[in-house]
Amino acid sequence: MTDRPVRTRYAPSPTGNPHVGNIRSALFSWAFARARGGQFVLRIEDTDRNRYVEGAVEAIMESLRWLGIDWDEGPDIGGPHGPYFQSERLPRYREAAELLMERGRAYRCFCTPERLDALRASQAAAKQPPGYDGLCLRIDPAESAARAKDEPHVIRFAMEREGVTVLHDVVRGEVVFENALQDDFVMLKSDGFPTYHLAVVVDDTAMAISHCIRGDEWISSAPKHIQLYEALGWEQPAWAHLPLILGPDHKKLSKRSGDTALLDYRERGYLPEAMLNFLAFLGWSLDDHTTIISAEELTRHFDLARVVPNPAVFDIERLNYLNGHYIRAMDEERWVRLVAEWADRGLPASIPRPLDEAVVRAAAPLLRERVTLLEEIPGLIAFLFTYDAPEYETALLAERVGDAATAVRVLDEALVRLDAIGESEWTTAAVEAALRGLEEPLGMKLRKFIPVLYVAVMGRPTGIPLFDSAAILGRERTLARLRAARARLG
């Protein structure tokens, strides 16, 4: 570890919407900085212009803001170490490359793409590991400088080929790399843009980053970065490579198993506090029993010493559980607002707007225990905003009771009992008493025949509580739906 003031960073490439694994790195970097009273920097690594995606920078910032991750310096707010787009820092990378050439640790490479393709093909045919053969390293510096005036070229870093390079990692301990297996990599491309390897070292140094917290996939690049620091004579940050995130099948995370853009989870109705809680425990723990944690608690207690090297499993069922937990834990007014928002965005355009506020407020408590994702809200309450029940297959009426004749009996008995309730007496309690009273004449338990009434009223065999729903719908609409269902059965 380092004694420097804590400064961490999140440095994504704007190649699309950030996925959960990427954002997990941002969360840990932010939490560590906040826990240590340090600073968290947002930097955009946009030097790969071929993969740049319009709108990706905005998506990156929106993803962080949704989780409540704030930054002290960045492209939108500036700071003393700007600019915070790598594409605006090109002279710095050129300067570092030239310094390395002066020290004999870098050289110009004039090899054409065709030669490099042929080299890789021959190495593959000979079952040799791929890598540059060092042809241009042998060019005299004066000749190299002269050719550079007219010939396109890149600048390669000359890796040490003897001995070992040692990574001292906060999470993994000591990791040793054989230098003989390393490759002279391109660090400055022919268009003047750096590769990630040079840019990350230059920028982390310039921005006084004390801890480099990043994903496990960057471990193989660690010897390149360590040797760059040593060749430039700069102090390395403390390294912390986070564990892989695997799917439930313990294979590499994929879109099918959860490797989805963070904002897609928001669009499905996951809450930010649930997602933050979920991501926090992907490779880290507070202790051996805590499973629920707030952002405030995370930023008070987070410590890299509690990060484990073993892969973490992305368990969607766990995330769903957390989402349900936070739905049931939130205050009433916030829940009503969310129900109104998601109903408005998800209900058919044919339903008049604005939605009846009284109906939304009455339905909100009925949804709490039945909703896992906010996207489920419109489907559960759409029937409350129409006169007729939503469309359904007639066969659904008899599906749970076995035959149409039994469904007819249920509807007939229900109509008699409910029709006897006056308009002024139409309440949840009155509806419940009337329908529970059907058990004896029908000769069956409520749970057996109530799906018939659910389908008639809601268009589906299950949903939010039927007695409360009938009270919200009112006497006229409820009876009309039962009569319509009875008519469908003939």
Side-chain angles (χ1 to χ4, degrees):
M1 296 288 277
T2 176
D3 295 328
R4 289 189 286 171
V6 171
R7 282 176 58 84
T8 64
R9 48 72 172 171
Y10 173 51
S13 298
T15 55
N17 290 358
H19 286 215
V20 290
N22 195 268
I23 290 294
R24 193 270 306 260
S25 298
L27 176 65
F28 282 22
S29 296
W30 171 75
F32 181 71
R34 294 291 177 256
R36 295 300 181 92
Q39 294 179 307
F40 176 65
V41 178
L42 174 62
R43 184 175 75 225
I44 304 299
E45 299 193 342
D46 61 338
T47 55
D48 190 344
R49 307 308 292 176
N50 292 327
R51 299 177 61 215
Y52 179 85
V53 173
E54 197 68 38
V57 173
E58 292 73 17
I60 289 166
M61 293 184 182
E62 183 64 19
S63 297
L64 296 176
R65 291 191 184 106
W66 181 58
L67 289 182
I69 297 175
D70 59 335
W71 50 95
D72 302 292
E73 302 171 28
D76 56 332
I77 58 176
H81 300 85
Y84 295 90
F85 284 100
Q86 283 189 334
S87 58
E88 299 173 7
R89 302 171 65 86
L90 299 186
R92 297 171 184 262
Y93 312 127
R94 168 63 65 176
E95 182 180 337
E98 289 176 351
L99 177 60
L100 289 168
M101 285 196 292
E102 290 173 9
R103 295 179 176 179
R105 292 302 306 275
Y107 58 93
R108 299 180 187 87
C109 176
F110 301 92
C111 293
T112 64
E114 292 76 18
R115 180 184 184 273
L116 296 175
D117 289 342
L119 175 62
R120 282 189 287 269
S122 65
Q123 289 170 334
K127 296 183 179 181
Q128 297 173 341
Y132 185 61
D133 60 0
L135 175 67
C136 292
L137 176 61
R138 297 185 286 274
I139 299 175
D140 180 79
E143 179 188 346
S144 173
R147 290 177 62 180
K149 296 176 182 178
D150 303 309
E151 295 182 47
H153 61 278
V154 299
I155 297 179
R156 291 182 182 272
F157 181 71
M159 291 287 287
E160 292 284 358
R161 293 306 183 88
E162 296 182 358
V164 297
T165 298
V166 180
L167 166 67
H168 298 281
D169 193 89
V170 176
V171 175
R172 300 170 184 280
E174 191 174 275
V175 184
V176 179
F177 301 89
E178 293 289 338
N179 289 342
L181 301 177
Q182 301 303 315
D183 181 34
D184 287 0
F185 60 91
V186 175
M187 62 179 189
L188 200 68
K189 295 177 284 188
S190 58
D191 59 5
F193 280 80
T195 61
Y196 170 79
H197 305 301
L198 177 63
V200 70
V201 170
V202 171
D203 288 341
D204 279 356
T205 300
M207 295 181 181
I209 300 303
S210 63
H211 294 75
C212 178
I213 302 170
R214 59 188 184 182
D216 177 271
E217 67 272 16
W218 292 111
I219 283 187
S220 61
S221 298
K224 297 178 174 65
H225 304 160
I226 292 170
Q227 288 200 28
L228 274 169
Y229 274 106
E230 292 172 345
L232 289 163
W234 296 343
E235 182 179 359
Q236 298 178 44
W239 302 98
H241 288 87
L242 306 180
L244 283 171
I245 302 177
L246 303 178
D249 56 359
H250 291 266
K251 295 181 180 178
K252 185 178 179 181
L253 202 61
S254 64
K255 283 190 176 183
R256 179 175 297 179
S257 58
D259 190 23
T260 305
L262 186 79
L263 294 180
D264 288 346
Y265 286 94
R266 183 182 69 173
E267 292 309 302
R268 291 185 58 199
Y270 286 94
L271 297 169
E273 55 266 47
M275 180 58 76
L276 181 142
N277 192 150
F278 177 71
L279 293 177
F281 290 111
L282 289 182
W284 176 84
S285 64
L286 176 60
D287 46 44
D288 60 359
H289 61 272
T290 300
T291 58
I292 303 296
I293 195 167
S294 66
E296 190 276 330
E297 291 171 315
L298 179 65
T299 53
R300 190 167 70 244
H301 298 296
F302 188 87
D303 188 347
L304 288 172
R306 296 288 300 182
V307 177
V308 297
N310 302 327
V313 175
F314 189 101
D315 182 358
I316 193 68
E317 294 304 319
R318 172 67 182 159
L319 177 56
N320 290 342
Y321 164 78
L322 288 170
N323 211 56
H325 166 82
Y326 283 104
I327 283 174
R328 289 181 281 280
M330 74 174 61
D331 69 78
E332 181 181 348
E333 286 305 310
R334 182 188 173 198
W335 177 238
V336 171
R337 288 195 302 272
L338 282 173
V339 170
E341 174 193 336
W342 282 80
D344 186 62
R345 68 191 283 184
L347 289 175
S350 57
I351 294 177
R353 303 298 199 276
L355 299 175
D356 189 324
E357 185 178 341
V359 173
V360 170
R361 188 166 288 275
L366 310 179
L367 291 164
R368 266 195 197 267
E369 298 297 326
R370 291 160 181 83
V371 168
T372 299
L373 304 180
L374 300 180
E375 70 175 1
E376 298 166 1
I377 290 172
L380 286 170
I381 63 174
F383 74 97
L384 293 173
F385 297 93
T386 58
Y387 186 83
D388 298 318
E391 284 297 316
Y392 59 88
E393 295 292 332
T394 302
L396 272 180
L397 288 165
E399 188 175 74
R400 302 293 179 92
V401 291
D403 56 67
T406 305
V408 167
R409 284 181 57 218
V410 172
L411 290 167
D412 284 344
E413 291 287 350
L415 279 165
V416 170
R417 297 294 181 107
L418 293 176
D419 198 27
I421 304 172
E423 182 69 44
S424 61
E425 301 165 327
W426 189 269
T427 63
T428 298
V431 171
E432 180 175 1
L435 295 182
R436 287 190 182 279
L438 296 179
E439 289 187 328
E440 186 174 342
L442 289 173
M444 64 180 82
K445 295 293 185 181
L446 179 72
R447 66 176 179 272
K448 175 69 174 177
F449 67 78
I450 203 170
V452 178
L453 305 176
Y454 263 101
V455 174
V457 171
M458 304 182 190
R460 53 196 296 171
T462 59
I464 61 176
L466 179 64
F467 311 137
D468 301 87
S469 299
I472 297 171
L473 280 171
R475 184 177 187 277
E476 179 186 355
R477 284 196 292 167
T478 300
L479 293 175
R481 293 182 186 197
L482 295 180
R483 293 188 186 105
R486 175 66 178 81
R488 293 177 73 151
L489 290 171

